[in-house]
Amino acid sequence: MHSETRGEGTPLVLIHGFGVDHRILLPLDETIAAHGGWRRIYVDLPGMGQTPIGEVASTEDVARALTDAVREAVGDEPFAVLGNSYGGMLARRLAHDFGEQVLGLATLAGVFVAKHGARTAPPRTVLHEEPALFDGVPEKTATGYRDFAVWQSAAGLANYVETVEPGVEAIDQPALERIAQNYAFDVEPEDAASGPFTKPALFVVGRQDEVVGYVDAWRRLEHYPRASFLVLDAAGHNIIGEQFGLVGAAVTEWLERIRRDSASR
């Protein structure tokens, strides 16, 4: 599995969503680096970015491949894990499977209910439009960003072009369609666990996220007694691109809680 590692220190595994690649998480890198002491490991999931699909045919297969990659990257070191969208679903799995080795868990617009029709999500809402933004922009790019954005802005469009669109163009579409047919875990991590996840956790969700919503994450909150739960207005599923400052601040605070928690043990 392809990965990109930046910095030195305690491993932090960052997992992107479905149909993009690790670049969607790179806007957070400078913020995390400024916090200091974290070795950021950005992975490309099978069929996305620079990782070929191989024999992977389901989310269970993706989880197994990711587990092997994490074991190779971190060995026995304690590590934290952060996942965005589909990557949040996988991060929850890693946090439970690796047990005490995991220092903390964060999800950003994370998937908590795999089946789209079973999710509780608001209707598609666009709070702010800027038609002039798209003057001279290729139609494919303009359409992709419009379909993604709750609050259109020059900064949001630039973020989409730099960190989202390249990953969309790099996917193996037949491979993703194969995984999509077997998208759910056999058992949800919380349901398989013998007890709650007691390390510092963070769940950041978008109030206008029509893809995964915010309610389903809240329904799992009691399983995470050390979790902060943040609902951001003017944020859809591209929560990093639309609310970068607040997401970065929340991630920084989560990392600080992990440091305090680890020092007290």
Side-chain angles (χ1 to χ4, degrees), residues 15-46:
I15 312 166
H16 64 81
F18 201 75
V20 289
D21 66 14
H22 77 276
R23 284 171 284 192
I24 199 170
L25 289 165
L26 289 180
L28 294 172
D29 193 70
E30 186 175 339
T31 298
I32 298 170
H35 189 264
W38 292 96
R39 184 167 88 246
R40 290 92 64 199
I41 304 168
Y42 297 89
V43 300
D44 278 344
L45 296 172

Short mmCIF file of all heavy atoms in Angstrom, two decimals, residues 15-46:
data_model
loop_
_atom_site.label_atom_id
_atom_site.label_comp_id
_atom_site.label_asym_id
_atom_site.label_seq_id
_atom_site.Cartn_x
_atom_site.Cartn_y
_atom_site.Cartn_z
N ILE A 15 -6.21 8.60 7.03
CA ILE A 15 -6.88 7.76 6.04
C ILE A 15 -7.94 8.58 5.30
O ILE A 15 -8.87 9.10 5.93
CB ILE A 15 -7.54 6.55 6.72
CG1 ILE A 15 -6.57 5.87 7.70
CG2 ILE A 15 -8.04 5.56 5.68
CD1 ILE A 15 -7.25 4.89 8.63
N HIS A 16 -7.82 8.64 4.02
CA HIS A 16 -8.73 9.44 3.19
C HIS A 16 -10.04 8.69 2.93
O HIS A 16 -10.22 7.54 3.33
CB HIS A 16 -8.06 9.79 1.86
CG HIS A 16 -7.74 8.59 1.02
ND1 HIS A 16 -8.67 7.96 0.21
CD2 HIS A 16 -6.58 7.89 0.84
CE1 HIS A 16 -8.12 6.94 -0.40
NE2 HIS A 16 -6.85 6.87 -0.04
N GLY A 17 -10.93 9.36 2.20
CA GLY A 17 -12.24 8.80 1.91
C GLY A 17 -12.30 8.00 0.63
O GLY A 17 -11.28 7.71 -0.01
N PHE A 18 -13.51 7.68 0.21
CA PHE A 18 -13.77 6.83 -0.95
C PHE A 18 -13.76 7.66 -2.22
O PHE A 18 -14.46 8.68 -2.32
CB PHE A 18 -15.14 6.16 -0.77
CG PHE A 18 -15.35 4.91 -1.58
CD1 PHE A 18 -14.74 3.72 -1.21
CD2 PHE A 18 -16.16 4.91 -2.70
CE1 PHE A 18 -14.94 2.54 -1.93
CE2 PHE A 18 -16.38 3.75 -3.43
CZ PHE A 18 -15.75 2.56 -3.04
N GLY A 19 -12.95 7.24 -3.20
CA GLY A 19 -12.95 7.92 -4.48
C GLY A 19 -12.04 9.13 -4.56
O GLY A 19 -12.15 9.91 -5.51
N VAL A 20 -11.15 9.30 -3.59
CA VAL A 20 -10.14 10.35 -3.61
C VAL A 20 -8.80 9.69 -3.23
O VAL A 20 -8.66 8.49 -3.34
CB VAL A 20 -10.50 11.51 -2.66
CG1 VAL A 20 -11.68 12.29 -3.20
CG2 VAL A 20 -10.82 11.01 -1.24
N ASP A 21 -7.82 10.48 -2.78
CA ASP A 21 -6.59 9.88 -2.28
C ASP A 21 -6.06 10.71 -1.12
O ASP A 21 -6.76 11.61 -0.63
CB ASP A 21 -5.55 9.67 -3.39
CG ASP A 21 -5.01 10.96 -3.98
OD1 ASP A 21 -5.20 12.05 -3.39
OD2 ASP A 21 -4.37 10.89 -5.05
N HIS A 22 -4.84 10.42 -0.68
CA HIS A 22 -4.33 11.03 0.55
C HIS A 22 -4.22 12.54 0.46
O HIS A 22 -4.19 13.23 1.50
CB HIS A 22 -2.96 10.44 0.90
CG HIS A 22 -1.82 10.95 0.07
ND1 HIS A 22 -1.51 10.44 -1.17
CD2 HIS A 22 -0.94 11.96 0.29
CE1 HIS A 22 -0.47 11.10 -1.67
NE2 HIS A 22 -0.10 12.03 -0.81
N ARG A 23 -4.21 13.10 -0.75
CA ARG A 23 -4.02 14.54 -0.89
C ARG A 23 -5.15 15.35 -0.28
O ARG A 23 -4.95 16.52 0.10
CB ARG A 23 -3.84 14.89 -2.37
CG ARG A 23 -2.47 14.54 -2.90
CD ARG A 23 -2.36 14.68 -4.40
NE ARG A 23 -3.01 13.58 -5.10
CZ ARG A 23 -2.86 13.33 -6.40
NH1 ARG A 23 -2.11 14.13 -7.14
NH2 ARG A 23 -3.47 12.30 -6.98
N ILE A 24 -6.32 14.76 -0.12
CA ILE A 24 -7.44 15.50 0.47
C ILE A 24 -7.18 15.88 1.92
O ILE A 24 -7.76 16.83 2.46
CB ILE A 24 -8.76 14.70 0.34
CG1 ILE A 24 -9.97 15.62 0.51
CG2 ILE A 24 -8.80 13.53 1.31
CD1 ILE A 24 -11.29 14.96 0.17
N LEU A 25 -6.25 15.15 2.58
CA LEU A 25 -5.92 15.42 3.97
C LEU A 25 -4.69 16.31 4.15
O LEU A 25 -4.42 16.77 5.26
CB LEU A 25 -5.70 14.10 4.71
CG LEU A 25 -6.95 13.26 4.94
CD1 LEU A 25 -6.59 11.84 5.33
CD2 LEU A 25 -7.83 13.89 6.02
N LEU A 26 -3.97 16.58 3.08
CA LEU A 26 -2.74 17.34 3.20
C LEU A 26 -2.92 18.78 3.69
O LEU A 26 -1.98 19.34 4.28
CB LEU A 26 -1.98 17.34 1.87
CG LEU A 26 -1.35 16.00 1.48
CD1 LEU A 26 -0.63 16.12 0.15
CD2 LEU A 26 -0.39 15.49 2.56
N PRO A 27 -4.08 19.42 3.49
CA PRO A 27 -4.23 20.76 4.08
C PRO A 27 -4.03 20.80 5.59
O PRO A 27 -3.69 21.85 6.15
CB PRO A 27 -5.66 21.14 3.70
CG PRO A 27 -5.92 20.42 2.43
CD PRO A 27 -5.22 19.10 2.60
N LEU A 28 -4.22 19.67 6.26
CA LEU A 28 -4.02 19.61 7.71
C LEU A 28 -2.56 19.47 8.11
O LEU A 28 -2.22 19.62 9.29
CB LEU A 28 -4.81 18.43 8.30
CG LEU A 28 -6.33 18.50 8.23
CD1 LEU A 28 -6.92 17.17 8.69
CD2 LEU A 28 -6.85 19.65 9.09
N ASP A 29 -1.69 19.17 7.14
CA ASP A 29 -0.33 18.78 7.51
C ASP A 29 0.44 19.89 8.21
O ASP A 29 1.13 19.64 9.21
CB ASP A 29 0.44 18.33 6.26
CG ASP A 29 1.73 17.64 6.63
OD1 ASP A 29 1.67 16.52 7.17
OD2 ASP A 29 2.81 18.24 6.43
N GLU A 30 0.34 21.10 7.72
CA GLU A 30 1.08 22.21 8.34
C GLU A 30 0.61 22.44 9.77
O GLU A 30 1.42 22.69 10.68
CB GLU A 30 0.93 23.47 7.51
CG GLU A 30 1.78 24.63 7.99
CD GLU A 30 1.70 25.84 7.07
OE1 GLU A 30 1.33 25.66 5.90
OE2 GLU A 30 2.02 26.95 7.55
N THR A 31 -0.69 22.33 9.99
CA THR A 31 -1.23 22.51 11.34
C THR A 31 -0.72 21.43 12.28
O THR A 31 -0.31 21.72 13.42
CB THR A 31 -2.77 22.47 11.30
OG1 THR A 31 -3.25 23.55 10.49
CG2 THR A 31 -3.37 22.58 12.69
N ILE A 32 -0.72 20.19 11.83
CA ILE A 32 -0.24 19.09 12.67
C ILE A 32 1.26 19.21 12.90
O ILE A 32 1.75 19.00 14.02
CB ILE A 32 -0.59 17.73 12.03
CG1 ILE A 32 -2.11 17.58 11.92
CG2 ILE A 32 -0.01 16.58 12.85
CD1 ILE A 32 -2.56 16.39 11.09
N ALA A 33 2.00 19.58 11.85
CA ALA A 33 3.45 19.74 11.99
C ALA A 33 3.79 20.82 13.01
O ALA A 33 4.73 20.68 13.80
CB ALA A 33 4.06 20.07 10.64
N ALA A 34 3.00 21.89 13.01
CA ALA A 34 3.25 22.98 13.96
C ALA A 34 3.04 22.54 15.40
O ALA A 34 3.64 23.10 16.33
CB ALA A 34 2.34 24.17 13.63
N HIS A 35 2.18 21.53 15.59
CA HIS A 35 1.96 21.01 16.94
C HIS A 35 3.19 20.26 17.44
O HIS A 35 3.45 20.21 18.64
CB HIS A 35 0.73 20.09 16.94
CG HIS A 35 0.28 19.66 18.29
ND1 HIS A 35 0.66 18.46 18.84
CD2 HIS A 35 -0.50 20.27 19.21
CE1 HIS A 35 0.12 18.35 20.05
NE2 HIS A 35 -0.59 19.42 20.29
N GLY A 36 3.95 19.68 16.53
CA GLY A 36 5.23 19.06 16.86
C GLY A 36 5.13 17.62 17.34
O GLY A 36 4.17 17.24 18.02
N GLY A 37 6.12 16.82 16.96
CA GLY A 37 6.26 15.49 17.52
C GLY A 37 5.39 14.41 16.92
O GLY A 37 5.23 13.34 17.52
N TRP A 38 4.85 14.66 15.71
CA TRP A 38 3.99 13.66 15.08
C TRP A 38 4.55 13.25 13.72
O TRP A 38 4.83 14.10 12.87
CB TRP A 38 2.57 14.19 14.89
CG TRP A 38 1.86 14.38 16.21
CD1 TRP A 38 1.75 15.55 16.91
CD2 TRP A 38 1.22 13.38 16.98
NE1 TRP A 38 1.07 15.33 18.08
CE2 TRP A 38 0.72 14.00 18.16
CE3 TRP A 38 0.99 12.02 16.81
CZ2 TRP A 38 0.02 13.32 19.14
CZ3 TRP A 38 0.29 11.32 17.78
CH2 TRP A 38 -0.19 11.96 18.93
N ARG A 39 4.72 11.96 13.51
CA ARG A 39 5.12 11.41 12.23
C ARG A 39 3.86 11.08 11.44
O ARG A 39 3.17 10.12 11.74
CB ARG A 39 5.98 10.15 12.45
CG ARG A 39 6.52 9.55 11.17
CD ARG A 39 7.62 8.53 11.46
NE ARG A 39 7.11 7.19 11.69
CZ ARG A 39 7.17 6.54 12.83
NH1 ARG A 39 7.67 7.12 13.93
NH2 ARG A 39 6.73 5.29 12.92
N ARG A 40 3.55 11.90 10.45
CA ARG A 40 2.29 11.77 9.73
C ARG A 40 2.43 10.75 8.60
O ARG A 40 3.29 10.91 7.72
CB ARG A 40 1.85 13.11 9.15
CG ARG A 40 1.41 14.12 10.22
CD ARG A 40 2.52 14.99 10.69
NE ARG A 40 3.03 15.85 9.63
CZ ARG A 40 4.22 16.43 9.68
NH1 ARG A 40 5.04 16.23 10.72
NH2 ARG A 40 4.63 17.22 8.68
N ILE A 41 1.59 9.72 8.64
CA ILE A 41 1.62 8.65 7.64
C ILE A 41 0.32 8.71 6.85
O ILE A 41 -0.75 8.35 7.34
CB ILE A 41 1.79 7.28 8.31
CG1 ILE A 41 3.05 7.25 9.17
CG2 ILE A 41 1.82 6.17 7.25
CD1 ILE A 41 3.15 6.04 10.08
N TYR A 42 0.40 9.24 5.63
CA TYR A 42 -0.76 9.36 4.75
C TYR A 42 -0.81 8.15 3.82
O TYR A 42 0.15 7.91 3.07
CB TYR A 42 -0.65 10.64 3.90
CG TYR A 42 -0.66 11.92 4.70
CD1 TYR A 42 0.53 12.47 5.18
CD2 TYR A 42 -1.85 12.59 4.97
CE1 TYR A 42 0.53 13.65 5.91
CE2 TYR A 42 -1.87 13.77 5.69
CZ TYR A 42 -0.67 14.30 6.16
OH TYR A 42 -0.69 15.47 6.88
N VAL A 43 -1.87 7.40 3.86
CA VAL A 43 -1.98 6.20 3.03
C VAL A 43 -2.89 6.45 1.83
O VAL A 43 -3.76 7.33 1.85
CB VAL A 43 -2.55 5.01 3.85
CG1 VAL A 43 -1.64 4.69 5.02
CG2 VAL A 43 -3.97 5.29 4.32
N ASP A 44 -2.65 5.71 0.76
CA ASP A 44 -3.58 5.61 -0.37
C ASP A 44 -4.25 4.24 -0.28
O ASP A 44 -3.56 3.21 -0.32
CB ASP A 44 -2.84 5.73 -1.71
CG ASP A 44 -2.55 7.16 -2.11
OD1 ASP A 44 -3.16 8.08 -1.54
OD2 ASP A 44 -1.71 7.35 -3.01
N LEU A 45 -5.54 4.23 -0.16
CA LEU A 45 -6.27 2.97 -0.05
C LEU A 45 -6.29 2.22 -1.39
O LEU A 45 -6.11 2.83 -2.45
CB LEU A 45 -7.71 3.24 0.42
CG LEU A 45 -7.84 3.85 1.81
CD1 LEU A 45 -9.28 4.27 2.07
CD2 LEU A 45 -7.35 2.89 2.89
N PRO A 46 -6.54 0.91 -1.37
CA PRO A 46 -6.55 0.13 -2.61
C PRO A 46 -7.51 0.68 -3.65
O PRO A 46 -8.66 1.02 -3.35
CB PRO A 46 -6.98 -1.26 -2.13
CG PRO A 46 -6.49 -1.33 -0.71
CD PRO A 46 -6.70 0.06 -0.17
#
